[in-house]
Amino acid sequence: MLFRSIYAVRWEGRDGKTGYAPAYQKIWSSPLQRKPDAPKEYFPLTDQVVRDHLTGKLTAGVYPLLTDETCWFLAVDFDKATWQEDMAACLQTCAEWNIPAGLERSRSGRGGHIWIFFDASLPAGLARKLGAAMLTRTMERRHQVGLDSYDRLFPSQDTMPKGGFGNLIALPLQHLPRSRGNSVFLDHNFNPHPDQWAFRAPHHTAAPAGTCASCGFQKSIGIIRRGLEFIRSPLEYDKRCKYGAC
């Protein structure tokens, strides 16, 4: 299972504000009052939650960073005017390094995510260095343009923040946005795949966990053999480590 964690649910206030909150069991001391000191029992992400997400009963988000500070996927977020051009350039890097990647248009339709799934969990720091190396390689090829629409990586932290879960990302294929052509997987021409369910079929294999040690990522940047030293460049752009969804 690619999403192995607790989950969060999107909420909308009467004043128009929106956000996500972790799903947990509320314990009540009386019919009208919740116990203030009761420990929270967080709900895990289940098949039923995914069904409810797909059918519009709720909108779910997940926390990529797990308690053992590993992750099962890497997502790269783009959300400014040049998001399509920048994502296309990053996908070229993925193709160059033979890394399977999925392209998703965001809920708003004004940005998108590149998803890379692993066949085994990876240390979050290593996955993020893979993302940083991809961005570095992309900027090397088009340094005159840059990657202005790049926003952040998910997971957004190498280690679990004290008292928190790390940044969350909303799951794709949200019901209402999907009906508008958003929150869907796209082809390399930025058109929705005609069959969203078949897109993640077995022939779209997850990137092997060994990818980080065997593909152009290692050949071009040499992070693995040099002890995973810090890369200067895209990680410096990854400034927004606040809690919240994209």
Side-chain angles (χ1 to χ4, degrees):
M1 183 176 180
L2 295 172
F3 303 105
R4 300 188 179 191
S5 68
I6 65 172
Y7 69 98
V9 177
R10 189 176 188 270
W11 55 265
E12 297 184 13
R14 294 181 180 177
D15 57 0
K17 292 183 178 179
T18 62
Y20 284 79
Y24 66 92
Q25 176 70 50
K26 294 182 178 179
I27 301 175
W28 303 87
S29 58
S30 69
L32 300 176
Q33 186 175 6
R34 187 173 67 87
K35 286 186 177 181
D37 299 327
K40 293 180 180 179
E41 180 181 344
Y42 295 101
F43 294 138
L45 186 67
T46 63
D47 290 347
Q48 185 59 52
V49 173
V50 173
R51 289 191 195 95
D52 291 346
H53 172 84
L54 294 174
T55 56
K57 293 181 180 179
L58 56 83
T59 298
V62 294
Y63 299 92
L65 184 62
L66 304 182
T67 54
D68 61 357
E69 299 181 343
T70 65
C71 61
W72 283 83
F73 68 87
L74 174 73
V76 190
D77 183 28
F78 299 83
D79 68 357
K80 293 182 182 177
T82 59
W83 68 275
Q84 291 192 9
E85 294 88 343
D86 293 346
M87 291 183 76
C90 281
L91 286 174
Q92 290 178 9
T93 298
C94 292
E96 176 186 341
W97 289 353
N98 196 29
I99 299 176
L103 171 62
E104 177 218 359
R105 182 155 46 222
S106 66
R107 175 187 177 90
S108 68
R110 297 188 295 272
H113 306 111
I114 291 176
W115 294 83
I116 298 172
F117 300 102
F118 306 119
D119 62 1
S121 60
L122 279 182
L126 179 59
R128 283 170 46 77
K129 283 182 170 64
L130 169 60
M134 288 168 44
L135 294 168
T136 298
R137 173 59 181 154
T138 302
M139 288 193 293
E140 287 174 352
R141 291 204 324 270
R142 61 199 299 267
H143 55 85
Q144 73 280 7
V145 178
L147 288 173
D148 185 57
S149 70
Y150 164 69
D151 184 44
R152 69 179 99 175
L153 299 173
F154 293 93
S156 300
Q157 296 86 12
D158 293 349
T159 58
M160 185 67 71
K162 185 176 181 180
F165 306 106
N167 289 58
L168 70 83
I169 183 170
L171 288 178
L173 300 177
Q174 300 170 38
H175 182 71
L176 183 59
R178 194 170 76 235
S179 67
R180 300 168 179 164
N182 298 331
S183 191
V184 294
F185 290 105
L186 310 174
D187 61 25
H188 285 200
N189 294 317
F190 291 88
N191 297 313
H193 282 281
D195 189 338
Q196 291 290 306
W197 321 116
F199 171 70
R200 290 310 307 173
H203 63 276
H204 291 274
T205 55
T211 293
C212 295
S214 61
C215 70
F217 163 59
Q218 191 234 9
K219 296 175 183 177
S220 300
I221 309 299
I223 294 176
I224 303 296
R225 290 181 180 173
R226 296 201 307 265
L228 300 178
E229 68 223 32
F230 178 76
I231 307 173
R232 288 169 30 182
S233 58
L235 282 182
E236 296 176 0
Y237 289 89
D238 201 12
K239 299 173 182 176
R240 302 200 314 179
C241 281
K242 60 187 180 182
Y243 293 103
C246 55

